[in-house]
Amino acid sequence: MTFKNEIPSAEDIQRFDLPYGLDLEKPIEHRRTWLADRERDIYLTGPGATGNQAHDDNVKTCFDVYLGKSKLKVIVEPSRTLGDFRADPYFIHWPALLEIWVGTIEVIKLTSSTPDVPHPLLQGRSLNEFVVILKEAVSENKAGYYTRFISAPITVSFGF
């Protein structure tokens, strides 16, 4: 029951409708990765942005989390990193969990009053259980694609 960074297969791309179709034509070293915990059937892609940082001052960070075939869009306050890619250790801090969406349904609004009660939108997990899984995945993901530029140990912390 651990997350592993891997390159999604053609079957994964089709099953989860991932926007990685063109990756199949690229050399392996240029393909995008995701985090997969195949035993629990949980996957994470990202991080991405909710908008264009060049034109929008209120851009948030988003991750896609797949619980089985359910896709959840998780939006968090952007990480507050101290130092640069040469910092040793390199710190990443995610201050706040802002939103969780399943399609057009905002999950936190439905579950915040009962965070320990399992919910069908979270595949029978409670909000608190989902947050633990999210932290585990994001910690393993570190800074995503950009970790390839970081050679020092990476420390991840959360404000939620």
Side-chain angles (χ1 to χ4, degrees):
M1 293 201 318
T2 61
F3 285 98
K4 297 199 183 317
N5 202 358
E6 62 181 39
I7 296 171
S9 67
E11 293 80 21
D12 292 330
I13 292 169
Q14 183 178 6
R15 175 183 175 204
F16 295 101
D17 194 27
L18 298 173
Y20 295 3
L22 294 176
D23 282 12
L24 297 172
E25 301 169 14
K26 296 178 182 178
I28 200 85
E29 64 271 12
H30 296 291
R31 291 183 56 190
R32 290 177 280 184
T33 62
W34 71 344
L35 279 174
D37 182 333
R38 294 196 178 271
E39 196 172 305
R40 292 186 288 181
D41 202 18
I42 303 171
Y43 310 88
L44 177 125
T45 64
T50 59
N52 185 333
Q53 296 171 340
H55 304 288
D56 186 357
D57 292 336
N58 197 26
V59 174
K60 305 299 181 202
T61 301
C62 59
F63 295 92
D64 288 338
V65 178
Y66 298 85
L67 299 174
K69 283 192 135 187
S70 292
K71 178 181 179 181
L72 290 79
K73 177 76 66 184
V74 177
I75 300 173
V76 297
E77 190 67 36
S79 66
R80 306 289 183 226
T81 55
L82 305 173
D84 59 25
F85 287 141
R86 295 177 303 265
D88 186 5
Y90 184 77
F91 291 98
I92 300 169
H93 178 69
W94 299 99
L97 173 62
L98 302 174
E99 303 169 28
I100 301 170
W101 293 90
V102 175
T104 60
I105 301 171
E106 214 291 290
V107 176
I108 291 178
K109 288 181 182 175
L110 289 176
T111 59
S112 62
S113 64
T114 55
D116 291 320
V117 176
H119 197 279
L121 288 174
L122 298 173
Q123 299 297 299
R125 294 172 176 87
S126 70
L127 177 61
N128 287 341
E129 289 171 322
F130 176 76
V131 169
V132 168
I133 291 168
L134 176 67
K135 287 180 177 181
E136 177 188 350
V138 170
S139 293
E140 183 62 32
N141 189 56
K142 310 283 195 275
Y145 171 80
Y146 297 102
T147 57
R148 68 188 186 130
F149 301 113
I150 302 168
S151 59
I154 299 172
T155 300
V156 179
S157 63
F158 299 90
F160 57 91

